[in-house]
Amino acid sequence: MARRLKGVLAPVVTPFDADLKPSAERLITHCKWLVSQNAGLAVFGTNSEANSLSVAERMTLMSQLVEAGVDASLMMPGTGCCALTDTVELTKHAVKLGCSGVLMLPPFFYKNLSDDGLYRAFSETIQRVGSDKLRLYLYHIPPIAQVPITPGVIERLLKAYPGTVAGIKDSSGDWNNTDMLLKNFQSESFDVFCGSEVFLLQTLRGGGAGAITATCNVNPAMIHDLYAHWQDADADDRQAKVTTVRRTFEMLPLISAMKAVIAWKRNDPQWSEVRPPLMSVPKEKLEPLREKLDEIGYQMNL
Amino acid sequence: MARRLKGVLAPVVTPFDADLKPSAERLITHCKWLVSQNAGLAVFGTNSEANSLSVAERMTLMSQLVEAGVDASLMMPGTGCCALTDTVELTKHAVKLGCSGVLMLPPFFYKNLSDDGLYRAFSETIQRVGSDKLRLYLYHIPPIAQVPITPGVIERLLKAYPGTVAGIKDSSGDWNNTDMLLKNFQSESFDVFCGSEVFLLQTLRGGGAGAITATCNVNPAMIHDLYAHWQDADADDRQAKVTTVRRTFEMLPLISAMKAVIAWKRNDPQWSEVRPPLMSVPKEKLEPLREKLDEIGYQMNL
């Protein structure tokens, strides 16, 4: 049964085995733990190395999660690819499995797209998926995709597909942009999520829906507590503590750092693996991160 | 039978039918015509909208071309994807079909890659393909991929995989970079191709192998004549004429402009179709291009 996704979601990191194949077993365990910490599951996001997986690999993993009893209604898988046919196939699969939403990158190979071209890409996808169950969350991440989703395109999509176009994740890293989205687009049927918990309190104060954020993979309880208590007197203190953990992880490349810490906490070195073109954190670089995490009293709550 | 690819190759534009499915029949006709004009076939390049096609669509089209009698030894298909597994699958297919090379984009989703990460991506691919028939041409196109292939990575790859790493296409648009590549890397077993015929004469004078260039789709004879006569007294005049045709096509977005001109010359409006996120050229914008092409005496030689 689908639900309206709110709160804090993790772009779930994808574990690999020694041959670089996705490790379904580890992923299932991690997802179940995240759910136990009140996190939603934005599987196959940027931090999941989603675009380093084939469409078939992603579809298989999605099915394996659901078969293992992970609640599809808590899932917002990333389904945006460069190829229209890939995006449609992945999105159809997510809708069929009962996912409450999909998080869709724009096609990101060609740059300097016209608004017409970008609108056409999303519109054609929605029509080909052809399901009133689809809830599409736009994924705005210009620092990586290098293809921004403009206000003009959001406006046209909302006019053509109200209800279906259900929100946006803003990973611009620019609060002014999130603020603009909140003021112009946040509504009962269009939710704005910030792309880093650093902006969570500001986002909630601006009427936004929550955060879809990397470090939710390793710090879900603390971030969810901030979400649950954002109107309490100590909210700013909570935000400051959450931000400190985030900044500490940012000492190293984030995806590799989070996987290394999960490997450490789970005592499972295989968790450190990343697919090329990423690289694992070398041991000597991990030590300062571990020391700093211990210093700030970080706990993963496994 | 594989051969050493030299000269002028077209990143063959991919025609679509009314439902946006690839049109194999039109592609076969276009490829056979290109071969008749002495052009090699860099199918599935940037101008082919390759990344707007699924892996399965690309593999099927490659097989259909070969089955239709298009000479695989004239082919250098693009096989570089974001996902290692996709790149390996496409590359294996190309090698199996007897293609004389593959043109490989770096994984282009993550930006600011380390040399270690980029090297690992190519190295892992080569090892997984595991064929001494593989001839890998690196595809350097920072304006679009936003992931440059650095001299450091080329050097490491050449040391580890001499013979297999067989060359580079430089689509930086920066002659200084092509010049650097020619001076540092061009050899009997590593060929430098420029990414636009505008640089063809300079590339050949610098010892390079030729050009892999968009407008070869619509002007192959003239570009090949320049290649064949680059040491003649009138080479600079030839280059100037070739460049004029290129600049004329650049009045409009290149992929859509070339497809519109093929549609016009073949009297087949369906040829104008592009997949999202690209847009076809609207009729009123095509007219000035057609007039200018007539003015400069452009002929497609169908």
Side-chain angles (χ1 to χ4, degrees), chain A residues 19-20 46 49-54 57 82-86 105 107-111 113-114 116-118 120-121 124 128 143-146 255 273-279, chain B residues 19-20 46 49-54 57 82-86 105 107-111 113-114 116-118 120-121 124 128 143-146 255 273-279:
Chain A
D19 192 36
L20 294 179
T46 299
E49 300 171 71
N51 294 99
S52 300
L53 302 168
S54 71
E57 287 172 330
C82 294
L84 173 71
T85 33
D86 286 341
L105 280 168
F108 55 84
F109 181 66
Y110 295 106
K111 306 302 186 295
L113 298 181
S114 66
D116 284 345
L118 189 55
R120 184 182 180 217
E124 193 71 40
R128 283 167 189 252
I144 296 185
Q146 302 278 337
I255 299 172
E273 189 64 273
V274 290
R275 269 200 179 172
L278 303 187
M279 299 292 289
Chain B
D19 192 37
L20 294 179
T46 299
E49 299 170 72
N51 294 100
S52 302
L53 302 169
S54 72
E57 285 173 330
C82 295
L84 173 71
T85 33
D86 286 341
L105 280 167
F108 54 85
F109 181 66
Y110 295 106
K111 307 302 187 295
L113 299 181
S114 66
D116 284 346
L118 189 55
R120 184 184 181 216
E124 193 71 40
R128 284 167 189 252
I144 296 186
Q146 302 278 336
I255 299 171
E273 189 65 274
V274 289
R275 269 201 180 171
L278 303 186
M279 300 291 289

Side-chain angles (χ1 to χ4, degrees), chain A residues 155-223:
Chain A
E155 211 169 292
R156 278 175 69 181
L157 285 169
L158 275 175
K159 197 167 280 179
Y161 306 104
T164 297
V165 176
I168 191 164
K169 175 187 179 187
D170 182 13
S171 293
S172 64
D174 173 9
W175 169 252
N176 291 329
N177 192 65
T178 311
D179 195 40
M180 178 279 292
L181 291 171
L182 287 165
K183 285 177 177 144
N184 291 304
F185 296 109
Q186 172 71 43
S187 76
E188 264 179 38
S189 58
F190 189 87
D191 282 314
V192 176
F193 290 86
C194 57
S196 164
E197 71 271 35
V198 166
F199 301 117
L200 179 54
L201 191 52
Q202 281 173 290
T203 299
L204 296 171
R205 284 175 177 161
I212 304 170
T213 176
T215 20
C216 180
N217 275 288
V218 285
N219 195 28
M222 198 190 262
I223 303 173

Side-chain angles (χ1 to χ4, degrees), chain A residues 203-239:
Chain A
T203 299
L204 296 171
R205 284 175 177 161
I212 304 170
T213 176
T215 20
C216 180
N217 275 288
V218 285
N219 195 28
M222 198 190 262
I223 303 173
H224 183 266
D225 278 353
L226 169 59
Y227 172 72
H229 297 278
W230 73 274
Q231 289 174 301
D232 291 6
D234 64 348
D236 286 288
D237 286 346
R238 287 175 186 272
Q239 176 68 67

Side-chain angles (χ1 to χ4, degrees), chain A residues 60-136:
Chain A
T60 302
L61 282 174
M62 242 191 275
S63 298
Q64 285 171 318
L65 286 172
V66 173
E67 281 157 24
V70 179
D71 184 352
S73 83
L74 292 170
M75 286 190 207
M76 187 196 286
T79 61
C81 304
C82 294
L84 173 71
T85 33
D86 286 341
T87 304
V88 169
E89 190 177 7
L90 271 169
T91 305
K92 277 187 174 171
H93 190 66
V95 169
K96 194 174 141 197
L97 286 175
C99 297
S100 293
V102 300
L103 187 57
M104 199 176 286
L105 280 168
F108 55 84
F109 181 66
Y110 295 106
K111 306 302 186 295
N112 305 313
L113 298 181
S114 66
D115 269 13
D116 284 345
L118 189 55
Y119 173 80
R120 184 182 180 217
F122 285 115
S123 173
E124 193 71 40
T125 300
I126 292 168
Q127 296 203 15
R128 283 167 189 252
V129 173
S131 167
D132 57 9
K133 289 184 185 149
L134 173 62
R135 294 292 172 275
L136 190 163

